[in-house]
Amino acid sequence: MSENSATSKPIVNRLVVIGLGLIGSSLAKAARELGFAQQVVGISRRQSTLEIALQAGVIDRAEASLADVASELTTGDLVVIGVPTLTVAQVLKDCRDLLAADVSITDVASVKGSVVAAAKSLYGQMPPQLVPGHPIAGSEKSGVTAANSKLFAEHRIILTPNQNTGQQHLDLVTQLWTATGAIVSNMDVREHDEILAATSHLPHFLAYSLVDTLAAMGDNREIFRYAAGGFRDFTRIAASDPVMWRDIALANRESILTILDQVMDNFKEMRSAIEAGDQDYLMATFTRARDARNHFGKILESKALQTGIQSAMTEKTINYVVSPGGNAQADLRVPGDKSMSHRSIMLGSLAEGMTEVTGFLEGEDSLATLQSFRDMGVQIEGPDQGRVVIHGVGLQGLKAPSKPLYLGNSGTSIRLLSGLLAGQSFDTELTGDESLSGRPMGRVADPLREMGAQIETAEGGRPPLKIKGGQTLKAIDYSMPMASAQVKSCVLLAGLYAQGTTSVVEPAPTRDHTERMLRGFGYQVSSQGSKASLSGGGSLNATRIDVPADISSAAFFMVAAAIVPGSDIMLRHVGVNPTRVGVINILRQMGTSIELSNQTEVGGEPVADIRVRYAPLQGIDIPEDQVPLAIDEFPVLFVAAACAQGTTVLTGAEELRVKESDRIQSMADGLITLGIDAQPTADGIKIVGGQLGSGEVQSHDDHRIAMAFTIAALRSSGTIVVREANNVATSFPDFVGLARQIGLNIELTQSQ
Ligand code: S3P
């Protein structure tokens, strides 16, 4: 056992670190300080390095070569190859010749393909004892004198095991890195090298190249004197270790060349645009880049992600700890309507001319739609306090995106876009987060295929969707098997590109924002009873759109007022389209006092102020015709039912099972945890009103479940902990701020 503080149980017997550079010596130091190795052996060819390492307490024992310790090593011992990338092969050869097969081996090289190739050629195949690894941590300082035992804390370590890798070796290496405070994940070798080429290697080469270019210019001292903030920030990494970066450039040649070519093409285009004074190109490129940077900024700022890899996996989970009570008195305006915000970007992009949108919802879902159109070459300014200006490109003006369109959590984005993209001349691929990747897309793929579209889905009709461009679409008369505005909108949007008149018949009325907004853009759409139709081949004219507040977000505060005695909440400028007012009808039927005032029409959509006051709530049988009109409001309506006198029964709502989560199950589980008698059924739920208690509920990453249980705390007897509330930002970015205005006491906590 090392003399230094042994704070945790040893994970490995002997930790042998070959190469005492920054990474190797930092790992050795961490192992000694935290006591997770019985003995830390440092190996270096340089005597002076070994002496410094011993003196500085980085290692327990110093050796000049692996041969000096190899025969002592057995199961539970770990050899870490910490030498520069191109030297790994040489050390691996020693490992093959000297180490028993039960000794674990890992490395820390920044490129993994070359390590795996060297191992395969030396051993004939990947040896089970080798777990290739890459700690994404570093500094511009190098060598043993810079050893820092905290270097890996909250940084990512990527391991690239394959099917040959022995589980005991993988476990050991994983435990070791975890003990340093790092976040360990596994990845495919090729994927690792491609991602790192783009996010880490390329920026280093750009920085080296820029400094070198300026350094070569005449009296460079003069130039550097004037090179201030931007230059300093951009070139910080050009102070890194040249040997390491030479090795990386050579070891990851293929991936680096691919990304360098892309950047050089981009540079060439930018050069021509500057030469030609092409303002549009420059604006579009800079705006796109700025917005992408802002989008990832949040993620990049988090310490765990100083890794150069943007990945939602590493985002921390946000939980709400909500104390009971609150007054439910307020005058509020909730954010813009999500459905209309999506459609404003889609139609504005496809219109001729400039569309100005105000009241746009700056939530992650609608921003995902916005980013997709930027990815397809549309210049979009903003959003800036809800104002967005879209430079429409016309129905035929979209450009092929260079990568799959990522739609996050948003079902509306993926389903509506699939209709639009089925009619383009180029191929596209649509992907999303874990929740979206589990949602059914056959409902849009089926009618689109009938129209002649070529769409591939993953197993079970799930995303990703691969849409083949250049197909001729023909109009269809489609009878929807389910009441879905997303499916209706998808088919109608494909109909814009089809020959003939496309019509959709719905089994029950669903939100009609697509039809209304298309008319606002001057496109003829006929609605007769349950049938909406349009003919392909027209064009859209840019317009102004004022997006009203989202009734689905207002619903949380309507229910807040409905469950708190003495409450009085005014909600301003809310969209009250008749296809969206189920929540008003249901709450009124349960006894709540709801008054509408200032009723007007804005851009073809009815809008009103809604005042909600408490009156005792009664359980009801919810009329099935209200289900599609309140489809997104059920999570919070279930909270109203839990606070009502008697039983509330919902039927005909099987669609709730395929929303962002299975909302019937998620709500039933949470309500039961809080002591309410809630019985889920195949197409609904039965809830017996009672006293809400306290407890920890899972939102299953579903924004509306998280918000519904937050509102429940107004009437709970104890604290409600809502797990996984990150996705509240998809539809209601400042929910917590507004909830605090009605007296809710919400504390935000983070967990891994
Ligand atoms: C939406 C339609 C609804 C709704 C979703 C938004 C839309 O989905 O749940 O939040 O904007 O068209 P379905 O049409 O699948 O019911």
Side-chain angles (χ1 to χ4, degrees):
M1 172 86 53
S2 84
E3 287 175 338
N4 271 18
S5 56
T7 51
S8 47
K9 239 174 60 213
I11 294 164
V12 294
N13 298 332
R14 281 190 195 77
L15 177 70
V16 180
V17 181
I18 306 177
L20 293 170
L22 176 72
I23 301 288
S25 59
S26 296
L27 176 62
K29 195 169 182 193
R32 284 201 85 221
E33 277 182 16
L34 299 170
F36 53 73
Q38 303 259 19
Q39 187 184 49
V40 180
V41 184
I43 297 180
S44 171
R45 277 185 307 207
R46 280 208 205 138
Q47 187 56 29
S48 57
T49 302
L50 291 172
E51 276 163 22
I52 296 169
L54 278 172
Q55 268 164 23
V58 168
I59 54 173
D60 297 305
R61 172 178 160 192
E63 297 293 354
S65 81
L66 183 61
D68 299 326
V69 65
S71 62
E72 299 166 38
L73 302 179
T74 177
T75 308
D77 293 327
L78 173 65
V79 172
V80 179
I81 305 176
V83 299
T85 304
L86 289 188
T87 321
V88 175
Q90 243 167 283
V91 178
L92 266 178
K93 186 165 174 296
D94 292 345
C95 291
R96 183 200 60 185
D97 297 342
L98 298 167
L99 294 179
D102 53 358
V103 177
S104 306
I105 310 173
T106 188
D107 77 303
V108 299
S110 307
V111 181
K112 301 272 55 92
S114 58
V115 171
V116 169
K120 280 186 182 159
S121 90
L122 283 163
Y123 285 83
Q125 59 164 359
M126 270 292 280
Q129 67 196 126
L130 175 63
V131 183
H134 177 201
I136 306 188
S139 128
E140 290 71 59
K141 298 189 195 126
S142 41
V144 65
T145 47
N148 169 8
S149 58
K150 309 224 166 32
L151 188 67
F152 311 107
E154 290 192 38
H155 282 61
R156 290 186 73 76
I157 309 291
I158 300 174
L159 304 180
T160 61
N162 73 0
Q163 70 279 9
N164 277 4
T165 312
Q167 191 61 43
Q168 74 276 28
H169 301 292
L170 179 59
D171 290 346
L172 189 75
V173 174
T174 306
Q175 280 171 31
L176 175 93
W177 282 118
T178 307
T180 65
I183 304 154
V184 184
S185 53
N186 296 346
M187 205 184 262
D188 169 71
V189 174
R190 202 187 163 80
E191 190 186 359
H192 169 275
D193 286 359
E194 280 171 7
I195 291 179
L196 269 288
T199 56
S200 167
H201 307 168
L202 176 70
H204 279 83
F205 301 141
L206 292 179
Y208 281 126
S209 164
L210 175 63
V211 177
D212 191 43
T213 309
L214 294 203
M217 284 168 64
D219 183 357
N220 58 46
R221 266 173 321 172
E222 198 52 24
I223 289 182
F224 286 123
R225 186 167 304 141
Y226 293 103
F231 177 83
R232 203 171 33 236
D233 289 350
F234 187 80
T235 58
R236 177 179 57 80
I237 47 183
S240 308
D241 180 5
V243 174
M244 174 170 159
W245 288 100
R246 175 205 61 192
D247 282 11
I248 290 172
L250 300 177
N252 200 18
R253 213 173 100 190
E254 225 179 281
S255 304
I256 290 169
L257 288 179
T258 309
I259 189 77
L260 263 182
D261 283 345
Q262 285 177 26
V263 172
M264 278 155 64
D265 288 348
N266 194 296
F267 265 151
K268 271 190 218 138
E269 275 186 26
M270 194 178 289
R271 189 189 183 286
S272 319
I274 294 172
E275 194 173 36
D278 184 345
Q279 294 191 29
D280 284 351
Y281 175 93
L282 296 172
M283 262 308 282
T285 309
F286 297 162
T287 313
R288 230 177 15 245
R290 182 205 52 193
D291 291 316
R293 180 64 178 78
N294 287 343
H295 185 63
F296 294 122
K298 263 193 300 177
I299 304 177
L300 288 169
E301 271 154 27
S302 112
K303 197 156 181 259
L305 272 154
Q306 289 170 359
T307 62
I309 294 179
Q310 28 109 342
S311 155
M313 286 187 306
T314 52
E315 222 182 294
K316 291 231 166 82
T317 300
I318 296 172
N319 309 308
Y320 293 166
V321 180
V322 199
S323 309
N327 55 27
Q329 307 263 354
D331 190 326
L332 305 171
R333 177 162 175 166
V334 300
D337 186 277
K338 184 155 72 73
S339 294
M340 292 186 220
S341 296
H342 282 298
R343 288 156 171 85
S344 69
I345 298 293
M346 294 180 186
L347 300 189
S349 295
L350 297 176
E352 318 270 345
M354 202 173 83
T355 290
E356 183 187 1
V357 184
T358 48
F360 179 79
L361 168 68
E362 296 183 35
E364 286 169 9
D365 275 13
S366 35
L367 290 173
T369 293
L370 189 151
Q371 186 60 41
S372 301
F373 281 88
R374 283 196 174 126
D375 290 346
M376 291 189 284
V378 181
Q379 195 184 325
I380 304 176
E381 296 169 44
D384 183 7
Q385 295 179 18
R387 181 173 178 271
V388 178
V389 176
I390 308 159
H391 299 260
V393 294
L395 276 165
Q396 308 299 338
L398 295 178
K399 297 205 181 92
S402 59
K403 56 182 191 320
L405 299 173
Y406 178 71
L407 302 164
N409 194 246
S410 177
T412 308
S413 308
I414 198 166
R415 295 207 179 106
L416 270 59
L417 267 173
S418 63
L420 276 180
L421 296 173
Q424 304 301 321
S425 57
F426 49 83
D427 299 351
T428 38
E429 182 174 344
L430 308 180
T431 68
D433 70 6
E434 205 184 320
S435 148
L436 189 62
S437 302
R439 295 181 67 187
M441 296 297 144
R443 55 178 60 199
V444 288
D446 291 344
L448 290 174
R449 285 182 189 129
E450 267 186 53
M451 296 177 82
Q454 275 205 34
I455 302 190
E456 258 179 57
T457 63
E459 218 184 293
R462 320 270 163 202
L465 296 179
K466 290 186 181 155
I467 304 177
K468 188 127 196 63
Q471 311 302 311
T472 307
L473 298 187
K474 58 176 195 300
I476 54 168
D477 288 324
Y478 189 61
S479 244
M480 276 197 297
M482 72 290 287
S484 166
Q486 292 179 352
V487 176
K488 172 176 66 175
S489 304
C490 163
V491 175
L492 290 176
L493 293 175
L496 295 174
Y497 292 91
Q499 292 164 354
T501 302
T502 297
S503 22
V504 185
V505 176
E506 50 191 9
T510 67
R511 63 191 70 189
D512 60 358
H513 305 302
T514 303
E515 298 91 302
R516 287 176 189 250
M517 205 180 279
L518 276 167
R519 289 187 198 110
F521 277 90
Y523 209 98
Q524 226 191 344
V525 183
S526 100
S527 297
Q528 284 175 320
S530 59
K531 184 173 185 171
S533 329
L534 58 74
S535 303
S539 62
L540 302 173
N541 302 320
T543 183
R544 293 173 85 91
I545 298 173
D546 174 31
V547 178
D550 195 332
I551 192 166
S552 298
S553 298
F556 296 101
F557 295 92
M558 295 170 66
V559 169
I563 63 174
V564 177
S567 65
D568 188 350
I569 294 185
M570 177 65 105
L571 293 150
R572 301 285 177 187
H573 200 68
V574 183
V576 287
N577 180 314
T579 58
R580 297 285 298 279
V581 292
V583 62
I584 298 180
N585 301 337
I586 293 168
L587 282 177
R588 274 187 177 148
Q589 206 177 326
M590 293 176 82
T592 307
S593 156
I594 303 181
E595 288 160 40
L596 268 54
S597 57
N598 287 331
Q599 301 199 41
T600 53
E601 194 160 296
V602 179
E605 290 278 357
V607 173
D609 293 342
I610 304 178
R611 183 178 184 191
V612 189
R613 280 173 295 172
Y614 176 82
L617 280 173
Q618 292 298 324
I620 59 166
D621 287 354
I622 297 173
E624 287 198 5
D625 64 359
Q626 294 301 308
V627 170
L629 313 186
I631 192 72
D632 290 338
E633 288 66 77
F634 283 109
V636 79
L637 281 169
F638 294 172
V639 171
C643 297
Q645 179 79 262
T647 304
T648 298
V649 180
L650 172 69
T651 52
E654 51 280 276
E655 277 294 300
L656 291 179
R657 292 207 177 266
V658 289
K659 294 294 178 188
E660 285 83 330
S661 71
D662 175 343
R663 285 185 172 159
I664 292 174
Q665 201 57 49
S666 308
M667 285 305 297
D669 291 346
L671 287 173
I672 292 166
T673 301
L674 298 177
I676 296 293
D677 177 358
Q679 298 155 37
T681 59
D683 67 342
I685 196 166
K686 190 168 147 197
I687 298 170
V688 184
Q691 173 61 52
L692 285 157
S694 63
E696 183 167 310
V697 296
Q698 297 292 332
S699 77
H700 298 282
D701 278 325
D702 184 331
H703 52 140
R704 299 201 199 280
I705 304 292
M707 291 187 276
F709 281 119
T710 306
I711 293 298
L714 286 165
R715 283 288 300 274
S716 67
S717 60
T719 299
I720 298 181
V721 177
V722 183
R723 300 257 320 143
E724 300 170 354
N726 300 49
N727 275 343
V728 165
T730 59
S731 67
F732 202 154
D734 191 29
F735 171 71
V736 170
L738 294 191
R740 284 179 177 149
Q741 283 189 39
I742 58 163
L744 274 165
N745 182 351
I746 308 175
E747 200 194 312
L748 270 53
T749 64
Q750 285 196 339
S751 56
Q752 262 322 310

